[in-house]
Amino acid sequence: MKLIIAEKPDQGATLSSQFKTKKHPGYIEIMPNELFPKGAYVTWAVGHLCQLVAPESYRPEWKKWQIETMPIIPERFQYEVTKSKAKQFNIVKSLIKKPEVSEFIHAGDAGREGELIIRNIINLCGVNKPMKRLWISSLTPKAIYEGFRSLLDEQETKSLFYEAYTRACADWVVGMNASRVYSILLKDKGMSDVFSAGRVQTPTLALIVKREREIQEFQSEPFWEVTATFSMNGKKYEGKWHKENNTRIDTKEMADKIAAFCKGKDAKVADVFTERKEFQPPMLFNLSSLQAVANKMYKFSPKKTLDVLQSLYQKGIVSYPRSDSNYVTKGEAETFPEIMKKLSRLPAYEALFPLDQPSIITNKRFVNEKKVTDHYAIIPTEQVTDPNRLSDEERKIYDLVIRRLIAAHYDKAIFDYTTISTLVENRAEFISKGKQQIKEGWRKVIFQEDKDDNDIILPILDNGEEGKVAKVNVKEGKTQPPKRYTEGQLITLMKTAGKHLDNEELEKVLMKTEGLGTEATRAGIITMLKERKYINVIKNQVYATDKGKVLIAAIGDKILASPEMTAKWEQRLREIGEGKASPAPFMEAVKKMAGKIISDAVEGCSDWNFDGLDTAAIQRKSSKGKSSGNKSFGKCRLCGDRVIDKGKFYGCSGYSKTQCGFTVSKKILNKAITQVNLKKLLDTGETDVIKGFTKGEKTFDAALVWDEQSRRMTFKFV
């Protein structure tokens, strides 16, 4: 009899659903059938049933956080059963040990983590029996049946276990040592909080803090542009004055002079240049590109996209969600005509048929066996479902996946990009740019992904055409700071190890560049940064908190914050997963890095500078979520009572007696109000100049001032 071990309960239920079964607590019994003549048991983990043991399990002295006993590096790593999941572990263990069970079928997710989860359970049970590997990329009945008919030898995927195990141990060593040393040293600086640090999360945080610093240090400068409306034989269009490809003018006086010179003057078309560009259909989705698009279109966090995608996978209607490939195999491409036929019958897609290309089986842009990694691209399975029968979130993600596949069967889109140069009085030159759609192609299917693309349609003009300046305007603008990342952009940034590559087609670059984390872990890293109060996400914009800035200021440009180093480590880990490298040399490098992290922190702590950051507010929270203590910061500007910390804001302690409503938010226009500035406001009625207030896309510097007349706070601009 065989024992099938799945990763999650619903996967276990799906794997057994096409057989006659009998349910038991914690497992399902499959009755004898063609595939399992003696029947089978199906049981499951609940995610990770096992975890690496705590430091004190290796040595008692490692329980106390002190630099003298570091680095913490076990000679041999050990796993233990997670207490909250002990009941299910014991059920799995009892099945593993049953005498009638002669063989295991490893049915965890077909990826690194799935490999680790199931093998850890078997290893911890200490039972040695033959094992096969179920490796499938979708949970349709057909895929499950074919998967069980063609099980892999467990040795074929064992390298992935070594990779996942090595990654877990490396992250434990780096995280345990880095978190402790920085928490200890920052406590000495007055911040009694836990500062979690890690091999992937810290370089990611460093990228966010770097962008925050660029925004805060940006000095906005005014500029002016001159825009003219031209009339050429009844045809009207606009252009911007430019000189040496620069449309911005440094002074208003000069802009006004140019406008005055051009007003009502003769104009002539000096040059018309048209360039035709062809755009191939976008590539099929991998997880990162789908997360980026879902965030751009629907503001879904990367974690939400992955969770929804996992739900669709469990329903058997999309392929494996954690894929890092944009390609499919020839075998998958052979199923597309049938999938397209089913989609053509659905009201949501019938207008997109017939297709430009009935088959893409010979198109290497999509079908390339050599570029398929562990899994092929994320595609709809042959188990096509009407998206209107799904929840709103599921429908949106499923629709994106479907449309990408349909678009692959469409022709390229073609545009003419036109640049017109217009001369006023043969002196002042104006530039006009626009585009014209020549062939819609695949944009008919997924044009909404480019919905922020503003098309300017220019009239058809010939060189030498003459006319007049109908209107001239002078417009004032200000240089804008770099934009904050969205969560979707952050996923792309992690994938490219901090290199700003916005075009998802740069597959040749990405093939040579391992990023921060993996397709499966990046969403979790961003979630972790939120939970540990290092970042806030406001209206899909990612902000670094003062706590996050403190940690990165302490680490500086050391190895722990280096995206390039972490990316190189990911490359080494992948080589372990491919059987091309051994875990031992990698772990030796990790151990050396742990020592370097500690020495860097200890040697550099005397030079740490946290000016402008509210370090006093970075304290461990009480169980109720409020800062401990009842410290007074000064007298209330309304009633004279004490102003105290009230959690998310500072407020008057006399509220319960007098209903005094004096409050100061801890964050105003995305800028933290430090306790130092709060005290100055209470004592003198005015804070220092605070740099970096943001409203919309604009950033400004100002002091906060208490206005006695209006009895409220206002800004004093500098």
Side-chain angles (χ1 to χ4, degrees):
M1 197 171 192
K2 296 179 180 180
L3 172 63
I4 303 164
I5 309 175
E7 193 170 320
K8 303 178 187 73
D10 48 5
Q11 285 175 316
T14 302
L15 292 174
S16 58
S17 61
Q18 55 191 310
F19 307 107
K20 288 185 178 180
T21 60
K22 183 179 179 182
K23 291 186 178 180
H24 301 275
Y27 72 100
I28 297 169
E29 185 178 356
I30 295 176
M31 299 297 108
N33 59 73
E34 179 192 2
L35 280 178
F36 304 106
K38 296 181 180 179
Y41 296 126
V42 180
T43 190
W44 45 81
V46 189
H48 287 273
L49 291 184
C50 311
Q51 62 187 11
L52 285 163
V53 302
E56 57 267 28
S57 298
Y58 299 107
R59 294 186 193 174
E61 63 266 29
W62 281 349
K63 184 172 184 178
K64 189 175 180 181
W65 288 35
Q66 50 189 3
I67 293 173
E68 293 74 23
T69 58
M70 297 172 69
I72 298 170
I73 301 174
E75 289 182 15
R76 184 180 178 85
F77 289 92
Q78 298 171 22
Y79 273 86
E80 63 183 1
V81 179
T82 306
K83 287 183 180 178
S84 62
K85 299 176 180 179
K87 182 179 178 182
Q88 183 60 22
F89 175 83
N90 288 330
I91 291 171
V92 178
K93 185 178 181 180
S94 67
L95 291 169
I96 283 174
K97 291 194 169 185
K98 277 182 176 289
E100 65 266 31
V101 171
S102 58
E103 182 179 273
F104 306 140
I105 296 178
H106 182 325
D109 270 0
R112 305 172 187 89
E113 284 305 302
E115 201 67 31
L116 179 68
I117 287 169
I118 306 304
R119 287 183 187 265
N120 268 345
I121 294 169
I122 294 170
N123 291 342
L124 212 54
C125 290
V127 176
N128 186 18
K129 293 181 181 178
M131 184 166 73
K132 297 287 187 186
R133 182 61 159 107
L134 176 69
W135 192 273
I136 53 178
S137 288
S138 70
L139 289 175
T140 63
K142 181 182 176 183
I144 293 169
Y145 192 85
E146 290 300 319
F148 277 130
R149 282 189 60 187
S150 53
L151 294 167
L152 303 179
D153 187 281
E154 61 96 10
Q155 290 295 326
E156 292 183 59
T157 60
K158 199 166 188 177
S159 291
L160 287 175
F161 164 72
Y162 291 136
E163 178 189 349
Y165 179 74
T166 305
R167 176 179 273 107
C169 295
D171 288 346
W172 190 96
V173 168
V174 173
M176 197 65 67
N177 287 284
S179 300
R180 289 194 176 200
V181 72
Y182 282 101
S183 295
I184 292 166
L185 294 173
L186 288 169
K187 186 176 182 181
D188 293 341
K189 303 287 184 181
M191 290 164 273
S192 182
D193 201 354
V194 174
F195 284 83
S196 167
R199 186 182 62 84
V200 180
Q201 62 164 305
T202 302
T204 304
L205 177 60
L207 292 171
I208 300 167
V209 171
K210 180 184 177 187
R211 175 52 59 93
E212 196 80 28
R213 193 181 305 121
E214 290 168 351
I215 293 169
Q216 290 177 356
E217 292 175 354
F218 183 83
Q219 296 294 321
S220 184
E221 301 286 344
F223 65 87
W224 289 263
E225 291 182 321
V226 177
T227 304
T229 301
F230 301 104
S231 179
M232 301 282 183
N233 300 315
K235 296 174 283 191
K236 289 191 175 183
Y237 64 99
E238 284 190 355
K240 279 185 182 178
W241 176 91
H242 84 118
K243 187 175 183 180
E244 296 175 352
N245 292 320
N246 183 21
T247 64
R248 294 178 176 182
I249 303 163
D250 293 337
T251 66
K252 186 177 188 300
E253 291 76 18
M254 178 58 72
D256 287 340
K257 282 182 180 179
I258 294 169
F261 171 79
C262 295
K263 190 174 182 181
K265 295 288 176 62
D266 292 335
K268 181 174 72 173
V269 177
D271 185 56
V272 178
F273 175 73
T274 299
E275 182 183 13
R276 180 158 292 187
K277 291 186 179 180
E278 299 179 348
F279 297 89
Q280 296 294 335
M283 304 183 74
L284 299 174
F285 279 127
N286 59 21
L287 178 58
S288 291
S289 58
L290 179 55
Q291 286 171 321
V293 170
N295 181 259
K296 179 182 177 182
M297 289 187 61
Y298 303 122
K299 305 297 185 287
F300 284 6
S301 72
K303 183 179 184 302
K304 175 179 275 192
T305 297
L306 179 55
D307 289 346
V308 173
L309 201 56
Q310 181 71 29
S311 172
L312 296 173
Y313 173 65
Q314 295 297 145
K315 286 180 165 68
I317 60 177
V318 301
S319 59
Y320 184 69
R322 293 171 178 81
S323 174
D324 61 358
S325 177
N326 301 103
Y327 303 89
V328 296
T329 65
K330 187 177 178 182
E332 292 308 314
E334 287 172 348
T335 69
F336 290 167
E338 183 60 29
I339 292 172
M340 293 295 111
K341 187 177 179 181
K342 292 177 180 178
L343 288 171
S344 69
R345 298 177 187 141
L346 298 178
Y349 307 110
E350 59 185 357
L352 302 176
F353 290 85
L355 304 168
D356 291 345
Q357 306 293 336
S359 173
I360 59 171
I361 200 161
T362 59
N363 188 337
K364 288 197 172 182
R365 180 174 178 77
F366 307 106
V367 185
N368 193 329
E369 202 129 1
K370 292 178 181 177
K371 293 187 178 181
V372 173
T373 51
D374 294 338
H375 298 279
Y376 47 79
I378 300 169
I379 56 173
T381 68
E382 66 270 20
Q383 202 166 295
V384 171
T385 298
D386 187 340
N388 292 322
R389 294 171 56 188
L390 303 170
S391 70
D392 183 59
E393 291 175 351
E394 289 177 332
R395 177 186 60 77
K396 286 174 176 174
I397 297 298
Y398 189 47
D399 178 68
L400 288 176
V401 175
I402 286 173
R403 286 179 180 272
R404 271 293 171 105
L405 182 60
I406 294 176
H409 291 75
Y410 266 69
D411 289 341
K412 57 196 171 190
I414 302 174
F415 289 88
D416 276 353
Y417 288 80
T418 301
T419 302
I420 298 173
S421 175
T422 307
L423 284 179
V424 176
E425 291 288 303
N426 288 317
R427 285 180 58 188
E429 185 176 5
F430 286 75
I431 198 84
S432 310
K433 292 187 176 184
K435 72 177 184 181
Q436 184 179 11
Q437 181 175 281
I438 304 302
K439 182 176 181 180
E440 187 177 27
W442 58 267
R443 281 173 59 88
K444 178 181 179 181
V445 185
I446 55 174
F447 69 92
Q448 69 269 31
E449 287 183 22
D450 302 314
K451 61 184 175 181
D452 57 356
D453 185 17
N454 296 316
D455 294 349
I456 297 173
I457 305 300
L458 296 172
I460 297 173
L461 295 162
D462 294 321
N463 286 346
E465 277 199 60
E466 296 182 350
K468 290 278 188 181
V469 176
K471 190 167 61 174
V472 186
N473 289 319
V474 173
K475 182 181 177 183
E476 182 181 356
K478 283 188 176 181
T479 56
Q480 296 297 311
K483 291 185 177 181
R484 285 183 169 83
Y485 300 122
T486 65
E487 288 192 81
Q489 290 168 336
L490 201 54
I491 283 285
T492 304
L493 204 64
M494 292 175 73
K495 187 177 178 69
T496 59
K499 294 178 176 63
H500 298 274
L501 307 176
D502 294 326
N503 186 343
E504 68 180 69
E505 279 200 43
L506 296 173
E507 67 269 20
K508 290 182 181 177
V509 176
L510 298 182
M511 282 174 66
K512 299 175 183 176
T513 306
E514 288 304 316
L516 304 177
T518 66
E519 297 289 313
T521 61
R522 289 181 190 120
I525 292 294
I526 296 174
T527 301
M528 188 188 301
L529 292 174
K530 292 182 200 174
E531 291 173 347
R532 291 172 179 175
K533 309 300 181 189
Y534 288 141
I535 63 172
N536 288 323
V537 180
I538 304 169
K539 294 182 178 179
N540 201 34
Q541 303 292 305
V542 181
Y543 294 79
T545 65
D546 276 6
K547 182 180 178 182
K549 293 173 188 174
V550 161
L551 180 61
I552 298 306
I555 294 170
D557 59 358
K558 302 301 181 188
I559 192 171
L560 182 58
S562 167
E564 292 81 6
M565 175 57 68
T566 304
K568 287 177 183 176
W569 281 28
E570 290 294 346
Q571 178 64 35
R572 299 288 86 77
L573 285 164
R574 174 166 287 212
E575 288 171 0
I576 292 170
E578 292 170 350
K580 298 175 182 177
S582 168
F586 178 83
M587 286 307 300
E588 284 304 312
V590 169
K591 292 171 185 178
K592 287 179 183 177
M593 181 179 178
K596 183 79 166 58
I597 288 169
I598 294 163
S599 62
D600 282 346
V602 172
E603 291 167 10
C605 65
S606 59
D607 298 323
W608 290 349
N609 184 347
F610 306 123
D611 288 349
L613 300 177
D614 189 3
T615 58
I618 303 173
Q619 308 296 331
R620 195 172 304 186
K621 305 294 181 182
S622 68
S623 58
K624 292 182 180 179
K626 293 187 177 181
S627 299
S628 56
N630 205 19
K631 175 184 175 184
S632 172
F633 297 101
K635 289 184 179 181
C636 173
R637 301 292 296 190
L638 286 176
C639 71
D641 211 330
R642 296 179 306 124
V643 173
I644 60 173
D645 190 337
K646 291 197 169 186
K648 291 187 176 180
F649 62 92
Y650 306 107
C652 181
S653 61
Y655 174 78
S656 58
K657 296 178 183 177
T658 64
Q659 300 296 298
C660 177
F662 179 83
T663 61
V664 179
S665 175
K666 288 185 175 180
K667 182 168 281 191
I668 297 174
L669 293 182
N670 301 312
K671 189 67 185 173
I673 307 305
T674 67
Q675 293 180 2
V676 171
N677 270 321
L678 173 68
K679 289 176 182 177
K680 286 190 176 183
L681 179 71
L682 298 175
D683 293 344
T684 68
E686 185 174 333
T687 68
D688 291 335
V689 173
I690 300 170
K691 294 186 176 182
F693 287 111
T694 57
K695 189 172 183 180
E697 294 296 326
K698 294 185 178 180
T699 302
F700 63 91
D701 304 335
L704 295 175
V705 177
W706 178 256
D707 187 330
E708 283 293 347
Q709 198 168 8
S710 64
R711 308 289 277 172
R712 64 187 182 88
M713 256 189 333
T714 61
F715 289 109
K716 179 181 177 182
F717 296 96
V718 293

